[in-house]
Amino acid sequence: MQTDTSHNRRTVLGNLTKERLRPRIDPSQMPSPIDVIESDKEKWEGNLFMTLPGNNPPLSTSDFTAFDQGNSSPKHVRVSTWNLPSSSHLAKECDIPLAAVFQPFADLDPREESIPVVDCGDSGPPRCEECRGYINPWCAWTAGGWRWKCNLCGHETQVLPDYFCNLDANLTRIDLPNRPELNKGTVDFVVSGKEYWAPPPLPRMNSSYFSIDPPSSQAREPRSLNCLFAFDVSLEAIRTGFLKSACDVLRGLLYGGTSLDGTQLEPSFPEGSQLAILTYDTSLHFYDLSPASSLASMIVVSDLEEVFIPLREGLFVDPWKSRTAIEGLLKALPERYLYTAIDNAALGGALLAGLASLAGRGGHIIVFQSVLPAIGPGALEPPRDQASLYGTDKERTMFLPRHQTWRDIAEECSEEGIGVSMFLGMSKPIDIGSIGIVSSTTGGELFFHPRFNPARDQHVLTSQLRRLLTRTTVYNCLLRVRCSNGLRISNYYGNFHERSVSDLDIGILDSDKAISVHIEHSRKLDAREYAFLQCAVLHTTPDGQRRVRTCNLALQVADLAANVFRYADMDAVVCHLARESMSKLTSRRMAHIREELTDRCSSILLGYRRNCAAATAASQLIIPEAFRALPVYTLAITKCKPLKGRNVSADVRNYHAQKILSMSVRATMQHLYPRLLALHDLSDDTALPDPTTGQMSFPSLMRNSHTYMEAHGVYLIDNEDLMIFWVGSSVSPQLLLDLFGVDDLLALDPNTIQLPVLHTRLSAQVRNILTHRHVQRGRTPKMLLVRQDMDGTEIEFSDMLVEDQNNAAMSYLDFLCLIHKQIDAVLTNGESLSGGPSLRGSPW
C-alpha cells in the first residue's frame, strides 16, 4: 500500500493483469473502515470542533464536542462535500452526489451549549422579503444598519425600528454578542403570530370519519401535545402476552415502578401533556377517564365504516389527575379480554378514531398491534407467497400498500399534524408494506417484535417506549430547505408527507430522525464566495409553544476537483446512497438497485482517478483518503435486509427500509457496518474508571470478518437494532465464568437476554461498555447469545460480518476486485461503468 504526501492523500492497491480474473490485491492492504474510525476518534474525542467553513468535521461515529461559530454543528447537518463544486460540469466530473443530511433536533453532548431560544416579539423573526429566509449570521448589513442583505437570494430587506442597531467600523452590529441569531448557526425562534400557526389540511371530497363539527378552514392554534394509546385486544394479543406487557410498561412509565429485571422506572410522560386510551378488536372501545370518577367507563362504537368520537369530556386527561382511573384500567384490560374469542383487530378504524380525536390540534398516536388488520377500513387479506415475486417486475409491490386507505390515512394524519408510532408484536405476517406507510408518512416510528415473548422482549419494549416518550419531540411540523442563488433542491429523502415541491408536512419530528436532500446547480457559483443552506422547521413544542428551528450552513466553493474530494464527507455520501436506494424499492428491482450502487461507488473512484490521479498506471486501483472505506460501506448497503438477495420476508424488508430512510447519519453508519469487539482481549484498564480522573477509555473495534476471529474468543457485535454475543467453541471455562457465571459451554443458556451482574473485572468492563452505548442511543437493543456451531441464530451473527461472503453477495475482497475491473475497463477500453454485466456475474 502506498500513500502520497499531497493534500489529497490516496491509497494505491494492487495491479491488474489481463491474464488474471482477479487483480492482485493483498487482503492485508485492503482499506479498513476500522482504521478510519479509530484514527478519527483518537483525533477528535475530547477535543473541540470549531464550525467555521474550511475544516473537515469529525466522523459521525466519533464522540466530539462542537462549538457553533455561525455554522450548525455536524450533528445537525452534514454535506457530502464541504467544498461544493462551482458548476454542474465539475460536479458531474467528480460524480460525488451533492447531498445534505439534516437532523434538526439531534441530541447534544452535555458539554455543548444548548440551542438558544430567541423571542423577537409580536413581529416575529426578521425574514427576507423575497425568499422568506430567516436572518442568520451570514447576512450583511447596509444603509447604516437599516437594511440587511439576505445571504440566500441577495435581496435587501428593511429593518424594523425595534430591531435596529448601529454598526461599528467593520459594518457589524454593536449588539452582535447579545444576538444569538446573528452568531449561532442553530437557533430556535419563538413565533407567536397567527401566520405561523399550523395550516389547515387540504379540503377533501369525503371525510374519512364522522364529526358533528364542520371541517376547520382555520390554522391550528398551538396547544400542548396530546397522546392517544391504542391497544389491540384480539385473541393473539392476549395469547402472546403482548397486551399485558404493553399495559404494564405504560403504567410503569406513567407513574414509575419496578421493571421485570428489577430496575426502577422513573415517570417518563411529558409534563403538561394529556393522554387518552382506546382499545379495539372488531369494534372500538373509548374510555371516559374523568378525574371525578375512580373507574373508567367504556363506550363502544361498533360502526367501523363511519367512525366518530362518542365523548368530548374525559377522553384526554392529565395522567396524574386521573391516576386512579388510568392505573385501574391498565391493570384490568388484560384480564377483561382474557377469554375473548375475537381474532381480528380493526387497526384502520383505530387510526381513524385517533385522527378524529386529534383533528384540529395535532398529536401523537401510539399503537400496539398484534394481527393483520383484516376488518374495517383498509382491511387486508393474508399476503400471498412472495417467493414468486423475486426477480420480476412485481417485486416492487412488496413495498407498496395493498389498499389505498392506508395512504389516505397517512396523508390526513400528516396534514393534521398527527404522528403515528406502532409497536408490532405479531406471530404471522402483518403487511408492514401497507400499514407501515402511516408511520413513515407522519414521521412516526415502527418497533418490530415478531413472535413476541414477554420474558425475552418486554425489557426491550420498555426501553423503546421510554425513549419514545422522553426524547426531544415536536409536532405540527412544516419543514423547508432553502439554498443560495445557483443551487436548488431536487429531491427529499426521509419519513414525511410532501405537501408541495418545497414544503414537507411532518406530524412529529424527534431527535433520532433525519431528513436528507439532493442538491443540483441552477447556474455557476463564484469560488470567491460561500454557498449557503438553511433548513427551517416550523413546529409546536410539547408544552404548546410555536417555534422555528433554523440550521444554517456556509460552504466553500471549489473550482478544482482535488478540493472537492479533499473535503468530501464519506458518512454523508453513504447515508445519501442508502436512503436513495431505499426510496427506489417501490419502483425498481432489488437486483438493479444493487447494480446501481456498485456503479455509483465505481464512478466516484473513477472521478477521482481521472481528475486527481491521471498520471498513475491504469492497472492500479486508486482510492482517495476521504473515501477509503466507501467500497465496504457500499457493499454493506447491498447486504442490508431490504436489499439482500436471499429470501427475506416482506415485513422484515419494509421495517428496515423505513428505519434506514429516517436514521441519523451515525446510526446509519453503525447499522451498515456493525461494531465488533473482542471481549476476551480487553486490557485490564479498558472500560473501567480511571482512579485519578474518573474517565473511561473504551476498546478499539475490529474488522467485520471471521478471518480476524478466534475459536477461543468471545465477541460482541452490535448493529443498533440487535446485539449478539458470539461464544467460540474453544472458549476457556474461566472466561465463561467471569462473564456469564457458568464454566461449561453446554450450560450456557442461549435464551439469555441480559448479562448477569458478577463481581469480576470482565463483567464490570462489558457492562460498562453496554451502559455507555445505552447512554449514546437512549435505548437498549435486543440481545442474542450464540454458541459456535451450536445455535441456529448464529446465521444472524454471520450475516453481520460485512467483509465476508454472505447475504447472497460477494466478499469485500471480491467487491474491490469488481470495482477495480470496472474502472480498468473504462480507462483501458473506454467502456461505460454500467456496460459490464458479465463482471457482476463473475464466479466470486
Side-chain angles (χ1 to χ4, degrees):
M1 183 174 68
Q2 305 170 17
T3 304
D4 75 355
T5 57
S6 68
H7 288 302
N8 279 289
R9 298 171 60 204
R10 57 182 183 251
T11 301
V12 184
L13 291 177
N15 290 316
L16 185 70
T17 59
K18 300 295 181 184
E19 295 78 17
R20 293 176 62 89
L21 177 65
R22 280 191 179 185
R24 292 195 296 266
I25 293 179
D26 184 352
S28 65
Q29 291 190 348
M30 292 191 302
S32 165
I34 298 304
D35 291 345
V36 176
I37 291 169
E38 294 299 330
S39 62
D40 194 76
K41 284 183 179 180
E42 186 177 342
K43 177 181 178 181
W44 287 110
E45 289 192 356
N47 294 326
L48 193 64
F49 172 69
M50 311 299 282
T51 65
L52 280 177
N55 299 313
N56 269 337
L59 296 180
S60 63
T61 47
S62 298
D63 292 324
F64 63 93
T65 54
F67 183 76
D68 190 336
Q69 296 178 295
N71 256 6
S72 290
S73 164
K75 295 174 183 177
H76 289 125
V77 54
R78 298 187 79 96
V79 288
S80 53
T81 175
W82 299 85
N83 265 27
L84 285 182
S86 60
S87 65
S88 57
H89 175 74
L90 180 58
K92 188 175 181 180
E93 285 290 309
C94 297
D95 234 343
I96 298 175
L98 299 185
V101 186
F102 293 94
Q103 191 179 356
F105 298 93
D107 290 331
L108 299 178
D109 190 286
R111 297 168 292 180
E112 294 177 330
E113 295 179 334
S114 58
I115 304 301
V117 179
V118 179
D119 190 345
C120 296
D122 295 338
S123 58
R127 300 183 65 181
C128 174
E129 294 173 341
E130 184 74 17
C131 71
R132 303 300 291 159
Y134 292 85
I135 200 162
N136 61 79
W138 304 100
C139 297
W141 300 90
T142 62
W146 283 106
R147 301 184 72 83
W148 60 277
K149 184 177 181 180
C150 177
N151 61 309
L152 298 170
C153 69
H155 180 78
E156 292 190 6
T157 300
Q158 185 76 27
V159 174
L160 295 177
D162 59 354
Y163 197 76
F164 171 77
C165 181
N166 289 309
L167 308 182
D168 61 16
N170 297 318
L171 300 182
T172 302
R173 284 174 63 114
I174 296 173
D175 66 350
L176 181 68
N178 302 320
R179 289 283 187 184
E181 70 273 23
L182 302 182
N183 53 60
K184 298 296 180 186
T186 304
V187 296
D188 273 337
F189 290 108
V190 176
V191 287
S192 54
K194 288 187 177 182
E195 66 271 20
Y196 289 100
W197 289 5
L202 299 173
R204 291 181 177 269
M205 292 293 293
N206 298 307
S207 177
S208 55
Y209 58 89
F210 176 78
S211 175
I212 60 174
D213 300 319
S216 174
S217 59
Q218 303 298 315
R220 298 190 290 277
E221 181 180 358
R223 302 182 194 176
S224 58
L225 176 66
N226 277 4
C227 292
L228 172 73
F229 293 93
F231 297 94
D232 166 3
V233 292
S234 66
L235 177 62
E236 181 71 10
I238 302 298
R239 186 187 64 80
T240 60
F242 189 54
L243 174 63
K244 186 177 189 309
S245 290
C247 290
D248 290 347
V249 168
L250 178 58
R251 192 172 76 251
L253 293 176
L254 286 176
Y255 305 111
T258 305
S259 64
L260 286 179
D261 59 3
T263 57
Q264 288 298 121
L265 299 177
E266 295 294 326
S268 302
F269 194 70
E271 189 176 349
S273 296
Q274 295 185 320
L275 65 82
I277 294 176
L278 170 75
T279 58
Y280 59 97
D281 41 34
T282 54
S283 57
L284 306 177
H285 320 136
F286 296 84
Y287 296 91
D288 185 346
L289 304 172
S290 299
S293 173
S294 59
L295 293 176
S297 56
M298 182 172 74
I299 304 173
V300 178
V301 174
S302 55
D303 187 353
L304 298 176
E305 298 304 319
E306 200 169 57
V307 174
F308 66 96
I309 304 302
L311 72 164
R312 289 180 179 269
E313 299 298 327
L315 181 62
F316 285 95
V317 296
D318 184 306
W320 290 101
K321 293 180 180 177
S322 299
R323 177 172 182 173
T324 303
I326 293 173
E327 280 196 306
L329 177 62
L330 292 176
K331 287 179 181 178
L333 282 178
E335 297 177 5
R336 182 177 298 177
Y337 296 97
L338 187 60
Y339 300 106
T340 183
I342 300 174
D343 60 358
N344 224 322
L347 175 61
L351 292 176
L352 289 179
L355 172 61
S357 65
L358 292 169
R361 65 172 296 154
H364 194 178
I365 302 173
I366 301 172
V367 177
F368 298 86
Q369 179 78 11
S370 294
V371 294
L372 180 78
I375 191 172
L380 298 167
E381 296 180 357
R384 298 170 297 170
D385 177 34
Q386 293 149 353
S388 60
L389 301 179
Y390 291 115
T392 71
D393 287 335
K394 292 184 178 181
E395 187 180 76
R396 63 188 182 88
T397 60
M398 291 190 296
F399 302 95
L400 293 168
R402 290 190 291 140
H403 201 294
Q404 180 63 27
T405 299
W406 299 104
R407 190 182 299 277
D408 293 340
I409 293 174
E411 292 178 359
E412 281 194 72
C413 284
S414 185
E415 291 176 5
E416 287 282 4
I418 300 168
V420 180
S421 296
M422 297 184 185
F423 290 83
L424 305 176
M426 66 290 183
S427 301
K428 297 178 181 178
I430 202 168
D431 198 356
I432 293 177
S434 293
I435 67 175
I437 193 174
V438 181
S439 286
S440 62
T441 302
T442 62
E445 188 165 354
L446 288 175
F447 300 93
F448 193 53
H449 296 276
R451 295 178 294 280
F452 183 82
N453 181 342
R456 181 191 65 206
D457 299 323
Q458 184 167 326
H459 76 287
V460 179
L461 179 67
T462 303
S463 175
Q464 292 171 338
L465 186 55
R466 183 193 294 116
R467 178 64 179 167
L468 184 71
L469 295 175
T470 57
R471 65 190 175 191
T472 301
T473 302
V474 298
Y475 73 111
N476 268 325
C477 305
L478 197 64
L479 183 147
R480 175 180 288 194
V481 179
R482 295 178 172 88
C483 305
S484 54
N485 288 333
L487 299 172
R488 67 182 184 89
I489 304 298
S490 61
N491 278 308
Y492 290 87
Y493 301 96
N495 288 348
F496 51 76
H497 170 49
E498 200 162 352
R499 178 186 285 242
S500 66
V501 293
S502 59
D503 292 335
L504 306 182
D505 268 329
I506 308 175
I508 55 172
L509 184 60
D510 60 67
S511 56
D512 294 335
K513 300 295 188 301
I515 300 290
S516 65
V517 297
H518 186 249
I519 304 168
E520 291 181 349
H521 287 80
S522 57
R523 64 172 176 79
K524 187 176 174 63
L525 304 177
D526 188 343
R528 297 167 298 178
E529 298 179 355
Y530 289 137
F532 301 96
L533 298 176
Q534 183 182 82
C535 173
V537 186
L538 181 60
H539 63 275
T540 304
T541 61
D543 61 1
Q545 189 177 53
R546 198 70 173 155
R547 293 182 180 178
V548 179
R549 173 157 294 190
T550 58
C551 299
N552 297 280
L553 197 63
L555 297 167
Q556 292 181 328
V557 177
D559 278 331
L560 298 176
N563 288 333
V564 176
F565 277 97
R566 180 185 175 189
Y567 289 95
D569 188 315
M570 186 190 67
D571 290 13
V573 171
V574 170
C575 186
H576 170 74
L577 292 178
R579 286 163 172 258
E580 187 179 52
S581 300
M582 298 305 110
S583 68
K584 291 178 179 177
L585 286 169
T586 57
S587 58
R588 304 291 303 276
R589 290 189 197 177
M590 288 182 280
H592 294 168
I593 297 173
R594 292 193 295 267
E595 291 175 1
E596 287 174 4
L597 277 166
T598 304
D599 292 343
R600 293 295 294 273
C601 177
S602 297
S603 66
I604 292 173
L605 301 185
L606 179 62
Y608 178 81
R609 179 61 176 269
R610 280 175 164 166
N611 293 283
C612 306
T616 55
S619 60
Q620 290 182 320
L621 176 60
I622 310 295
I623 300 179
E625 184 69 15
F627 289 118
R628 281 182 65 193
L630 180 64
V632 72
Y633 278 107
T634 305
L635 177 63
I637 298 174
T638 67
K639 291 185 176 186
C640 69
K641 289 188 185 296
L643 284 175
K644 67 194 298 185
R646 207 166 55 206
N647 278 358
V648 178
S649 74
D651 280 351
V652 172
R653 290 188 189 274
N654 277 287
Y655 164 70
H656 283 94
Q658 291 194 19
K659 291 277 286 186
I660 291 172
L661 266 174
S662 64
M663 275 181 176
S664 66
V665 178
R666 179 179 187 138
T668 301
M669 302 302 284
Q670 293 178 340
H671 177 73
L672 293 174
Y673 195 93
R675 291 177 284 180
L676 179 62
L677 276 178
L679 300 181
H680 61 283
D681 210 18
L682 298 179
S683 60
D684 289 350
D685 57 350
T686 296
L688 293 174
D690 185 278
T692 56
T693 64
Q695 300 293 317
M696 289 190 196
S697 62
F698 292 95
S700 298
L701 304 174
M702 59 180 289
R703 296 180 67 162
N704 287 2
S705 172
H706 75 279
T707 308
Y708 306 98
M709 295 172 61
E710 299 167 324
H712 64 264
V714 176
Y715 297 87
L716 169 65
I717 197 166
D718 181 352
N719 72 350
E720 297 296 293
D721 197 53
L722 177 67
M723 60 182 183
I724 302 176
F725 287 88
W726 183 90
V727 184
S729 57
S730 304
V731 65
S732 74
Q734 186 61 49
L735 189 61
L736 289 177
L737 197 62
D738 287 347
L739 189 55
F740 301 109
V742 297
D743 60 1
D744 185 358
L745 190 62
L746 294 175
L748 196 58
D749 183 4
N751 297 316
T752 301
I753 59 170
Q754 286 185 313
L755 283 183
V757 178
L758 304 175
H759 299 293
T760 64
R761 178 175 52 82
L762 180 60
S763 176
Q765 288 176 303
V766 176
R767 283 184 288 108
N768 284 340
I769 291 170
L770 298 183
T771 300
H772 175 66
R773 293 186 178 182
H774 175 85
V775 170
Q776 282 184 324
R777 60 187 157 213
R779 57 179 179 80
T780 301
K782 294 181 181 180
M783 170 183 150
L784 288 179
L785 193 153
V786 302
R787 298 163 295 178
Q788 184 182 10
D789 300 331
M790 294 178 67
D791 299 311
T793 48
E794 190 177 8
I795 187 66
E796 287 286 349
F797 179 85
S798 300
D799 283 351
M800 289 191 197
L801 299 177
V802 175
E803 296 192 25
D804 291 341
Q805 182 175 342
N806 50 28
N807 293 289
M810 61 186 71
S811 68
Y812 178 31
L813 174 60
D814 290 333
F815 188 72
L816 272 178
C817 294
L818 172 59
I819 298 294
H820 196 173
K821 294 274 283 185
Q822 283 189 320
I823 294 174
D824 179 72
V826 174
L827 294 174
T828 306
N829 305 321
E831 298 177 7
S832 66
L833 284 173
S834 58
S838 60
L839 293 174
R840 299 191 190 96
S842 296
W844 61 72

